[in-house]
Amino acid sequence: MPVIELEKVTKSFKGVPIFDNASATFEAGKIHGIVGPNGSGKSILFKMICGFILPDTGKVIIDSQYQSPSRTFPEQFGVIIDRPGYLPQKTGLDNLRDLAKIRGAIGDAEIRDAMEKVGLPPGLKQKARNYSLGMKQKLALAQAIMEDQKVLILDEPFNALDADSVDLVRNLLKKHREQGRTVIFTSHNREDIDLLADHTLRISNSKLERIS
Amino acid sequence: MLYSFRNPFDFAPLDFANFFLLHRAFDAYDPIAIAFVPVLVAVALCFAVARYTDKQGGTRLKLPVRWPLLVYLALCLLGILYAWVYELQLGNSPTDLLFVAFYGVSASGYTWTLYLFHSTVFLGFAYLFQLRLTEELDARIYYVALRRGSPLRWLARFVLPVVGRAPLLLLPLAAMTFVVAVLGNFTGSNSDAIEGIPHPGWILYQFFVNGTLQLLCYVLITFIVSWVSGRTVAGLLALGTILVLSLPALNVGQLLPAALNSMGYLELGASELVRITVVLTIYLVILTVITTLVVGNRRLFFNERI
């Protein structure tokens, strides 16, 4: 059963077509890899899936279990989309506390646990502005998983990570799949796609093609 | 000779009022067009700097986060001290200082320095809001909005705390002014400020009620411009435009809420202050409706930020 379905979606930006009649389905409990050159529309696809932008025509259908009448954006989605996700003057832990407070569903224990899962020591006193690129990426990953999200939408989750961290995150995503959760991620590294993805989609000529 | 000063004893280019006030410009320059040249050059320069910083990736200050707030508060304090010295020199009473501080204009007339002070207080608050908005939009809008569940809920939770902070900002300013008025070594009794004021409470009403409404108008204007344009620098330009359009020479019909004094005069009585409140409330309702519409329309905002 698909968690997300794109039905004949067309989207252009400033007159340039990004998607033209594109359709795709993302099944539950699978890892879906998205590939495509820079500027092909991967971020736009993710923003449409999350409801941040609307397609010009066509539909983005989200499984009803992730929606509620009072919400515009889907529930239980964890995302990394082209924003760092942290305030530079705060520590990583404080940044995550701020975000967790919004839903009020988790406490410090869960936040610390998520940081440890991605290899970021929760006790760090450093402000986020002083983090390395890899640490910032881990912080973004921690916010995406900390509330036990059922669907992960991750734009380039392996960016700037060292080899050990890449392994850590790969295992994390595999574990996620074993628990019946859904992951959609983009990567420029073919190895990430080959190792993790059950299905791969390529954005090409304004279409979404399933290539495996 | 290309131009001449009407009063040869004044060196006109050194007096800023000659650029801000039409009648002063007319007195100082012949032809009057000369007065507009430096202003236009300054505005063009500001636009060029704004465009340059925008191309460089925005206007984020490389200063510690609290510095803009500290600089802002220091400017406010400076404004109060300036008003104190100004009234002291005129031999006026503490009441005059309170009048200037709470009302935004000297009883003896318009002074550009007081205008700048009040512009700093009111537009500076909107600028601090702009910095906070920039941070939110640049860093974590998607993560916060997703958790809030809807764009309008995000808007409410982002803007409502500012509504609460506006009077909180005005409160210490008022307290500081009272302290300066009481401890300010005023000996003069040359007060002409309170004549015609129905009740001293109306000064406080003007400061807190109309002041808060005015602050919120600026905040929403900044928000709408930044959101729709997708460029935070546009919010800054909007604030600059308000500053220029609020100058008495241009704000002839007193349609823009500027520096607490442009919408009416205290001497005209309580009904005038209530009229200002009504006008500002109408502005605020219109701005709130526009804000809700632009934030609720996902085709408008997020498209611009792709």
Side-chain angles (χ1 to χ4, degrees), chain B residues 85-109:
Chain B
V85 172
Y86 178 84
E87 294 299 330
L88 208 57
Q89 279 176 345
L90 292 177
N92 286 343
S93 71
T95 324
D96 293 275
L97 174 67
L98 295 178
F99 189 91
V100 166
F102 289 154
Y103 184 26
V105 66
S106 163
S108 48

Side-chain angles (χ1 to χ4, degrees), chain A residues 23-208:
Chain A
S23 297
T25 54
F26 299 91
E27 288 124 40
K30 306 278 185 198
I31 297 182
H32 305 266
I34 311 268
V35 294
N38 291 331
S40 59
K42 297 189 288 288
S43 296
I44 292 175
L45 173 67
F46 282 2
K47 286 174 192 173
M48 282 197 294
I49 287 173
C50 293
F52 296 137
I53 58 172
L54 297 175
D56 298 334
T57 61
K59 281 183 196 168
V60 177
I61 303 161
I62 308 290
D63 185 343
S64 59
Q65 70 168 305
Y66 301 109
Q67 291 189 316
S68 80
S70 64
R71 292 177 66 93
T72 308
F73 307 132
E75 276 181 300
Q76 300 182 60
F77 273 40
V79 301
I80 300 179
I81 302 177
D82 81 10
R83 290 286 192 283
Y86 58 84
L87 299 178
Q89 70 276 17
K90 295 190 172 189
T91 65
L93 183 62
D94 285 342
N95 267 292
L96 296 182
R97 278 178 181 147
D98 278 358
L99 291 173
K101 241 183 256 173
I102 295 172
R103 282 180 179 154
I106 59 168
D108 256 21
E110 289 87 349
I111 296 171
R112 288 171 184 275
D113 182 47
M115 292 178 85
E116 277 161 6
K117 275 182 185 163
V118 298
L120 194 63
L124 276 179
K125 299 287 178 216
Q126 262 176 294
K127 308 282 185 207
R129 76 159 70 88
N130 298 321
Y131 279 14
S132 68
L133 282 177
M135 290 164 79
K136 287 171 183 171
Q137 185 69 357
K138 289 176 186 177
L139 188 58
L141 279 162
Q143 70 76 29
I145 64 164
M146 69 181 178
E147 286 152 318
D148 204 22
Q149 287 92 334
K150 301 288 185 285
V151 180
L152 296 185
I153 312 279
L154 309 174
D155 194 4
E156 302 287 350
F158 300 102
N159 261 3
L161 296 183
D162 57 47
D164 288 345
S165 302
V166 167
D167 284 343
L168 194 72
V169 175
R170 281 176 181 166
N171 288 331
L172 185 77
L173 298 184
K174 283 179 187 168
K175 204 174 282 178
H176 217 73
R177 172 177 53 195
E178 285 163 16
Q179 293 166 341
R181 298 165 199 223
T182 311
V183 178
I184 305 173
F185 78 102
T186 65
S187 180
H188 287 298
N189 184 357
R190 191 72 219 181
E191 194 187 342
D192 296 329
I193 299 285
D194 291 342
L195 277 173
L196 290 171
D198 299 306
H199 302 296
T200 308
L201 289 101
R202 181 172 55 205
I203 302 175
S204 171
N205 298 322
S206 307
K207 302 278 187 210
L208 264 169

Side-chain angles (χ1 to χ4, degrees), chain B residues 53-64:
Chain B
T53 49
D54 197 31
K55 278 184 182 170
Q56 297 298 309
T59 54
R60 215 176 306 159
L61 296 173
K62 301 289 182 197
L63 296 169

Side-chain angles (χ1 to χ4, degrees), chain B residues 243-267:
Chain B
L243 182 66
V244 173
L245 292 179
S246 304
L247 289 169
L250 300 175
N251 194 15
V252 179
Q254 295 180 352
L255 292 174
L256 271 174
L260 273 182
N261 62 332
S262 66
M263 295 291 292
Y265 290 96
L266 214 53
E267 294 92 345

